Amino acid sequence: MVVVVKKNPDKTQFNNLQNWLKSLGVSIHTSEGENSIVLGLVGDTTSVDIDLIRSLEIVEDVKRIQEPYKNANRKFHPKDSVITVENVHFGNGTFNIIAGPCSVESEEQVISIAEQVKKSGATMLRGGAFKPRTSPYAFQGLGASGIEYLLKAKEATGLPIVSEIMEFSQLPLFDDVDLIQVGARNMQNFELLKELGRIKKPILLKRGLANTIQELLMSVEYIMAGGNENVILCERGIRTFENATRNTLDISIIPVLKKQTHLPIVIDPSHACGISYFVKPLAMAATAAGADGLMIEVHNDPQHALCDGAQSLTPQVFDEVAKSCFAIRPLACKY
Ligand code: PEP
Ligand code: MN
């Protein structure tokens, strides 16, 4: 980090600044120019509050040279991480499709969808049991029985399962869930992230609706700093001024994350566009751009789905989308 101090600073303020920075464990290289004094901070600057420094009267500018995330940073871990969920591997050249309903609605529904998506090549089953709905009057999920039905579908098909946790007290219900999802709305629920850092189970962390890539990486840092390195990142579209689609899929997150982190990245085209008709092109684009996997909502009867029917594919359409993605995957961008 570099701190540019104004010319002829107040001596007491300048000393206070230097002493404070040293107390945070960094050493300071000072170079005096004609118009300013440049302080080069050497060492671990992750705990230095850049905004606080910027707000000081004697400071002209501050720049972070090194990213504030360590565990997720590719600089310290150049090789791709491989996150293993049961028999499924994410990262380092693998490609997996997670598919299933937005919400688990019944045992028969989820088993039948699981059987069909497996035939199309999906390697994991998704299904929400606890649903973060915008309206408190909307279907909130089946709760514990939703997880139970997912486990039945796993038993029937062998597909590992992923489901969303909303708060840490639900963890005992997730004992047999293979991958725990943290949804977009909880991306910055730091207490939940810290708790998930204390367990070893793989986590799928979705990007918040209005969060930057750096904020996503800082959130994953919470989980990793706690000791859980098994994390997969997920882009699910962000809110922009565009309203032709539910959200806007940020495809550029793929090359950006590939450069900045060693963690795998999965793209969720369903929540990104909100309309089933648009899922295929987005899924193909994400595949071509080198995503490590996709997560796609599939429903046996989208018109009557209790949640997100408009963006859900029928198993037949999913089959076509999966085929197209697998077909272009060998040509996908490599990093
Ligand atoms: C989901 O995947 O079921 C979900 C609610 O997604 P998001 O958190 O991205 O809205
Ligand atoms: Mn959904």
Side-chain angles (χ1 to χ4, degrees), residues 102 126 131-132 164 181 183-185 206 236 268 271 295 297:
C102 179
R126 63 149 288 144
K131 295 303 305 175
E164 178 169 350
Q181 175 173 320
R185 290 153 191 85
K206 298 188 91 173
R236 43 79 73 209
D268 169 352
H271 290 91
M295 180 153 88
E297 287 190 344

Side-chain angles (χ1 to χ4, degrees), residues 1-9 14 18 27-42:
M1 189 181 288
V2 169
V3 182
V4 182
V5 175
K6 288 175 191 161
K7 196 179 165 188
N8 301 326
F14 189 45
Q18 293 184 85
S27 47
I28 304 173
H29 284 205
T30 310
S31 63
E32 288 211 27
E34 247 179 53
N35 299 315
S36 56
I37 305 169
V38 179
L39 307 180
L41 310 190
V42 184

Side-chain angles (χ1 to χ4, degrees), residues 39-315:
L39 307 180
L41 310 190
V42 184
D44 183 2
T45 57
T46 42
S47 60
V48 177
D49 184 341
I50 189 164
D51 294 321
L52 194 54
I53 299 179
R54 192 173 282 128
S55 71
L56 300 176
E57 208 184 306
I58 56 166
V59 170
E60 195 169 282
D61 199 8
V62 198
K63 280 206 173 68
R64 209 180 257 290
I65 307 294
Q66 208 168 53
E67 299 83 3
Y69 48 93
K70 267 206 160 138
N71 291 278
N73 199 327
R74 197 183 271 281
K75 273 193 197 136
F76 305 116
H77 190 301
K79 281 200 182 140
D80 280 0
S81 277
V82 177
I83 309 300
T84 299
V85 184
E86 290 273 282
N87 54 342
V88 182
H89 307 287
F90 288 87
N92 198 25
T94 58
F95 180 72
N96 287 285
I97 306 185
I98 305 168
C102 179
S103 319
V104 178
E105 294 176 11
S106 72
E107 184 178 331
E108 301 69 39
Q109 175 231 22
V110 75
I111 292 181
S112 137
I113 295 174
E115 284 168 343
Q116 294 179 81
V117 297
K118 185 182 178 185
K119 278 196 199 126
S120 304
T123 44
M124 275 194 73
L125 174 67
R126 63 149 288 144
F130 299 95
K131 295 303 305 175
R133 303 302 301 278
T134 303
S135 164
Y137 308 115
F139 176 59
Q140 303 286 309
L142 293 182
S145 21
I147 305 270
E148 198 185 305
Y149 302 152
L150 278 170
L151 289 168
K152 293 252 170 73
K154 178 183 176 183
E155 210 176 287
T157 59
L159 292 180
I161 57 173
V162 52
S163 201
E164 178 169 350
I165 194 167
M166 302 254 288
E167 54 164 326
F168 197 67
S169 64
Q170 294 165 344
L171 191 67
L173 295 169
F174 284 73
D175 266 357
D176 298 317
V177 172
D178 305 296
L179 177 63
I180 299 181
Q181 175 173 320
V182 175
R185 290 153 191 85
N186 267 321
M187 189 203 90
Q188 287 189 317
N189 181 341
F190 300 119
E191 288 309 312
L192 176 62
L193 300 178
K194 279 189 216 165
E195 300 278 12
L196 294 173
R198 292 189 194 114
I199 62 172
K200 288 282 167 262
K201 216 178 249 295
I203 310 293
L204 179 75
L205 179 64
K206 298 188 91 173
R207 179 182 184 179
L209 277 69
N211 285 110
T212 62
I213 295 175
Q214 172 138 334
E215 284 165 346
L216 172 66
L217 290 168
M218 292 310 290
S219 286
V220 79
E221 198 67 19
Y222 267 91
I223 303 174
M224 298 178 88
N228 187 355
E229 306 227 308
N230 294 313
V231 195
I232 301 168
L233 301 171
C234 180
E235 158 70 25
R236 43 79 73 209
I238 47 173
R239 190 164 281 182
T240 66
F241 56 82
E242 184 52 72
N243 57 13
T245 48
R246 183 174 176 182
N247 292 289
T248 299
L249 179 61
D250 181 10
I251 283 279
S252 49
I253 195 173
I254 300 169
V256 171
L257 284 181
K258 286 291 169 196
K259 185 159 184 283
Q260 297 186 347
T261 182
H262 50 91
L263 296 171
I265 168 88
V266 161
I267 300 291
D268 169 352
S270 306
H271 290 91
C273 65
I275 301 165
S276 57
Y277 183 67
F278 298 147
V279 170
K280 181 176 174 180
L282 297 193
M284 291 179 73
T287 307
D292 298 293
L294 300 171
M295 180 153 88
I296 298 179
E297 287 190 344
V298 178
H299 195 280
N300 49 315
D301 182 8
Q303 274 192 341
H304 297 103
L306 296 179
C307 184
D308 285 351
Q311 68 196 33
S312 299
L313 305 185
T314 59

